[in-house]
Amino acid sequence: MTKNSKTPSEFPILALTMGDPNGIGAEVLLKALEGLRPFHNWQPLVFGDMEVLENVRGRLQLEWVFQAVTDVMTPASFRAGAGQIPVISLGSNTEQHWQPGTCSAWGGESANRYFTRAVEWVQSGNCSAIVTAPLNKKALSKAGINFPGPTEILAHYTGKERAWMMLDTGELRAVMVTLHMGLSDALKQLSKETVLETIEITEKALRQIGFENPRLGVAGLNPHAGENGLFGKEEELWIGPAVRKARETGINVTGPCSPDTVFIRHRQGEFDAVIALYHDQALIPLKLTGFGNSVNITLGTPIIRTSVDHGTAFDRAEQYDADPSSMTAAIKMAIKLSRNQPFRLN
């Protein structure tokens, strides 16, 4: 593919991946694009399966025309217009394997193909950011793709040892020290170094997003943040030392905070983000308050990537009543971050 002659800040082109073709990805993507048009000062480029897209478009009774784009085409040679969406079609054996509502190896392999091709386009300079519809971890596993999800896939393809996930509801946001792993494994990953690195990554990301002096609250692991060692030693051994070290470098961070109140303090305006120690410590309160409207932002890689806050919803794939709000929010966030170039959450 040819390198884009325009810089992302002049004309953001978003690589929109369709997600698992057996889920609701194509539906929420097309609904979001319908609600966002006309496209002013940005352009969508969909990575997916043309056959699936055409079928879903018909089910939704949308009047889109899909323009086939190839790898040899430059961004100057295609353009989303009134009723027209450029698509890189990567479908394979769709007629034989497409079964909405089914978790399959074909669906997992297809979703991974869309995503990794989008990564290539961003790395080549032809797209500014990636926005992903949901993938399914079990489907990826069935396809022999041994990554827990797109956050880890993106880290691998950009040569990073790991990446972080920030969930942003608009009102609340959090970054996790550990991500997709069992709780017993997450506890083994906690250390002064991993907590400190997450604090540093989060502080830098918030500055790049637009916070002048980010205020961070770090959650404790144990009830009442350990109660001075009475309920556990992790706060004294790892979390507290990491917070003190971060403060020495000028980061405005508080903790360890009692995990049962840290999000209340965040909501009341004391913090701009919370550092959580494991997946559900962050996502339970955030999804309780903002599910369906929040955005997943990947930190720690040289590529801007946002995503929806929900899964493939195989059980609803043929109902065509999915809410596109999170996809819409993810696209809007990617546009914002792309216009902040140079922008690298690493």
Side-chain angles (χ1 to χ4, degrees):
M1 65 192 72
T2 305
K3 188 174 177 63
N4 186 4
S5 61
K6 284 182 173 289
T7 66
S9 60
E10 292 173 334
F11 192 73
I13 300 175
L14 303 189
L16 311 178
T17 69
M18 201 180 77
D20 194 304
N22 289 327
I24 62 171
E27 176 189 355
V28 296
L29 177 55
L30 292 183
K31 284 181 174 179
L33 290 174
E34 178 73 10
L36 288 168
R37 68 171 179 173
F39 311 121
H40 294 301
N41 301 319
W42 73 281
Q43 175 168 312
L45 174 60
V46 175
F47 291 73
D49 187 315
M50 188 76 83
E51 187 173 340
V52 175
L53 288 165
E54 285 284 10
N55 188 288
V56 174
R57 181 202 60 75
R59 296 292 185 92
L60 298 176
Q61 298 183 342
L62 301 176
E63 297 183 357
W64 291 111
V65 174
F66 297 117
Q67 176 191 7
V69 175
T70 67
D71 283 341
V72 298
M73 296 173 70
T74 65
S77 64
F78 59 86
R79 178 96 186 240
Q84 181 169 283
I85 296 293
V87 176
I88 293 185
S89 186
L90 301 167
S92 175
N93 300 315
T94 305
E95 185 176 349
Q96 294 89 342
H97 294 286
W98 183 42
Q99 295 181 327
T102 302
C103 179
S104 70
W106 176 82
E109 193 280 327
S110 297
N112 182 65
R113 191 183 327 120
Y114 313 152
F115 182 66
T116 54
R117 185 66 65 84
V119 171
E120 293 174 3
W121 271 65
V122 176
Q123 288 177 323
S124 71
N126 284 286
C127 291
S128 309
I130 299 174
V131 183
T132 55
L135 290 76
N136 183 275
K137 297 174 179 61
K138 186 175 180 180
L140 290 174
S141 179
K142 284 185 175 185
I145 300 163
N146 297 314
F147 294 98
T151 302
E152 293 83 359
I153 295 172
L154 185 57
H156 172 76
Y157 279 96
T158 56
K160 297 296 183 179
E161 186 174 337
R162 63 162 298 184
W164 286 258
M165 185 179 106
M166 174 188 286
L167 195 69
D168 187 332
T169 72
E171 181 182 8
L172 302 177
R173 58 197 61 83
V175 178
M176 289 134 273
V177 178
T178 63
L179 194 49
H180 296 117
M181 61 185 69
L183 188 54
S184 60
D185 291 328
L187 295 178
K188 296 174 185 176
Q189 295 294 319
L190 293 178
S191 66
K192 174 185 173 182
E193 290 73 25
T194 57
V195 174
L196 177 60
E197 190 176 17
T198 305
I199 293 171
E200 293 170 340
I201 282 282
T202 305
E203 197 264 353
K204 183 176 182 180
L206 289 178
R207 286 187 180 277
Q208 292 172 318
I209 289 172
F211 290 88
E212 185 174 341
N213 182 30
R215 300 163 300 159
L216 307 179
V218 180
L221 176 67
N222 300 295
H224 305 283
E227 199 72 78
N228 297 314
L230 183 62
F231 301 142
K233 302 295 184 182
E234 289 83 0
E235 286 78 10
E236 295 180 348
L237 293 175
W238 306 324
I239 304 169
V243 169
R244 290 191 291 273
K245 181 65 175 177
R247 283 186 192 140
E248 291 174 4
T249 66
I251 296 177
N252 187 353
V253 58
T254 301
C257 306
S258 181
D260 62 353
T261 59
V262 66
F263 281 95
I264 296 173
R265 295 168 66 179
H266 177 17
R267 192 171 190 177
Q268 292 173 340
E270 186 175 347
F271 307 128
D272 297 309
V274 169
I275 307 297
L277 302 178
Y278 55 92
H279 184 277
D280 285 5
Q281 189 181 51
L283 295 196
I284 289 173
L286 266 68
K287 288 192 174 184
L288 180 64
T289 58
F291 185 67
N293 295 289
S294 51
V295 180
N296 174 349
I297 306 171
T298 299
L299 312 183
T301 79
I303 288 178
I304 297 169
R305 179 243 169 184
T306 66
S307 183
V308 295
D309 66 355
H310 56 76
T312 49
F314 289 137
D315 59 325
R316 299 177 56 188
E318 293 188 285
Q319 297 178 22
Y320 297 97
D321 61 355
D323 184 349
S325 298
S326 185
M327 176 58 76
T328 300
I331 292 173
K332 288 180 176 179
M333 177 63 77
I335 294 170
K336 175 183 177 182
L337 300 183
S338 297
R339 288 174 177 166
N340 285 346
Q341 293 279 10
F343 181 88
R344 293 291 182 265
L345 292 176
N346 61 353

